Amino acid sequence: MTNKDLAPHLLRTLVALQSEGKTVTLETLTTALQVRRTDVRRAITALHREGYLDVLHMRLTLRGLALGAAFAASQLRPLRRASLRAVKAA
């Protein structure tokens, strides 16, 4: 899974968790997105480098909050493709 695919989902999840006042950890994000811990960590690092996330406090920056809110209002591509069996059955 690439950062390009995961980042929008990660930002949207961070906006939702922060707006609820919940503490965000790597484990929380891994569970919420049902994605490997390594992929989440890589995406978090990339978002931190680009200025969208403060990793030390696990809080979105103003830029990250704006982008996450935009993703929250839009429909994102699924993280995983439908299995071939499910497609054939339909």
Side-chain angles (χ1 to χ4, degrees):
M1 179 167 303
T2 65
N3 291 343
K4 185 178 178 182
D5 296 330
L6 184 56
H9 291 276
L10 193 56
L11 287 169
R12 181 168 65 177
T13 303
L14 282 163
V15 167
L17 291 172
Q18 281 185 208
S19 67
E20 294 172 5
K22 294 185 178 178
T23 303
V24 179
T25 62
L26 183 63
E27 191 63 37
T28 308
L29 294 171
T30 303
T31 303
L33 295 171
Q34 297 180 351
V35 179
R36 293 182 308 179
R37 186 181 185 106
T38 307
D39 293 335
V40 173
R41 187 180 298 128
R42 189 179 315 129
I44 285 173
T45 301
L47 290 172
H48 176 74
R49 286 185 186 147
E50 294 171 9
Y52 295 109
L53 179 68
D54 178 8
V55 173
L56 296 176
H57 299 105
M58 285 301 279
R59 307 255 328 151
L60 290 169
T61 62
L62 190 56
R63 288 176 59 196
L65 185 64
L67 191 57
F71 285 134
S74 64
Q75 185 174 356
L76 300 176
R77 292 187 327 185
L79 283 173
R80 292 177 187 79
R81 295 181 188 159
S83 68
L84 188 56
R85 290 180 188 169
V87 172
K88 285 184 179 180

